[in-house]
Amino acid sequence: MKKIVLVNVLTLLILAIAGIAAFHFYNEATNYVKTDNAKVDGTQLTIASPAAGKLISFDKKVGDDIAKDDTIGEVMAQGTDGQPSKMSLKMPQDGTIVKTQATENGFVGAGTPIAYAYNMDELFVTANIKETELDGVKKGQDVDIYVDGYKDTTLDGEVEQIGLATASSFSLLPSSNGNANFTKVTQVVPVKISLSKDKSLDILPGMNVTVRIHKN
């Protein structure tokens, strides 16, 4: 008799757990769009030489915060009259230097990137949403953002912009369906998600995140 009771209790317990799990998956599928194909992003600023010549000065380093139009270096180039002429390297927008590849007194070509920067106050998240789930995504929806580098911490966000082309449209080698063996592949559409201004984490461009978009 005790065995029968124990079996019944275990059966009910298993059914309850299965029911809770089924409800959880149903709730997630019905009310949220979730993906881990996402990352912290931002507008990358490229500081490049305006002309070919010698980089005679560059005194900035990684981590420096620089204001728009500040001079960050000089290039000695050939002027329009054929004489050497100093040209200033200007910061295109407010930003923080994240990488430099400048060698003072080295030659740089016109348009050669010398440093890269981001405005750390204007970072956002780019989430690649499957085309089959895009119908549930609307501008203005709330988003839960989980940064891989910070466990058990959730950031708040909002859907700001839905891409007008799939991610593969910008690939250097776009997929082609010009042969008889074409296999359809589910495409993803980039969705821009703004971050709450009161974010407390020191997140960096390129960090992996998981997003959960509230459909309602």
Side-chain angles (χ1 to χ4, degrees):
M1 189 67 177
K2 291 182 178 179
K3 288 184 178 180
I4 294 175
V5 172
L6 181 60
V7 169
N8 288 337
V9 170
L10 289 175
T11 301
L12 290 173
L13 184 60
I14 292 172
L15 289 175
I17 293 173
I20 293 172
F23 174 77
H24 171 75
F25 286 118
Y26 173 79
N27 180 61
E28 289 288 317
T30 303
N31 298 314
Y32 305 99
V33 174
K34 189 174 181 179
T35 182
D36 59 2
N37 187 358
K39 66 174 182 175
V40 178
D41 216 336
T43 301
Q44 187 182 84
L45 306 175
T46 302
I47 297 95
S49 175
K54 179 193 287 188
L55 182 65
I56 58 176
S57 70
F58 188 87
D59 58 358
K60 303 302 180 181
K61 61 184 183 299
V62 172
D64 285 349
D65 296 322
I66 306 171
K68 179 182 178 182
D69 293 330
D70 278 2
T71 298
I72 59 178
E74 290 183 320
V75 174
M76 183 65 76
Q78 187 177 42
T80 54
D81 58 358
Q83 298 299 312
S85 175
K86 286 184 181 180
M87 294 187 176
S88 298
L89 297 175
K90 299 286 188 179
M91 190 70 177
Q93 299 289 337
D94 294 348
T96 301
I97 300 292
V98 297
K99 180 182 179 181
T100 68
Q101 48 195 34
T103 302
E104 287 194 2
N105 297 316
F107 177 83
V108 292
T112 300
I114 294 173
Y116 298 92
Y118 284 91
N119 187 330
M120 296 301 186
D121 294 326
E122 296 183 359
L123 297 180
F124 54 88
V125 167
T126 298
N128 293 306
I129 305 299
K130 292 180 180 179
E131 59 183 336
T132 53
E133 299 178 340
L134 196 63
D135 186 53
V137 179
K138 308 295 181 186
K139 185 177 179 179
Q141 290 173 326
D142 292 332
V143 184
D144 301 323
I145 302 167
Y146 310 95
V147 184
D148 287 11
Y150 296 93
K151 299 297 183 184
D152 303 319
T153 302
T154 306
L155 296 179
D156 297 324
E158 181 179 298
V159 175
E160 182 175 319
Q161 186 179 72
I162 299 172
L164 299 179
T166 64
S168 64
S169 300
F170 306 102
S171 172
L172 293 177
L173 296 173
S175 58
S176 173
N177 61 353
N179 62 66
N181 298 319
F182 171 69
T183 300
K184 183 181 290 187
V185 177
T186 300
Q187 300 296 307
V188 295
V189 176
V191 172
K192 182 179 180 179
I193 298 168
S194 61
L195 289 162
S196 172
K197 295 300 182 184
D198 60 355
K199 62 182 184 296
S200 59
L201 304 181
D202 293 326
I203 57 175
L204 303 174
M207 278 186 164
N208 291 317
V209 301
T210 296
V211 302
R212 189 174 73 158
I213 301 172
H214 296 240
K215 290 183 180 180
N216 301 317

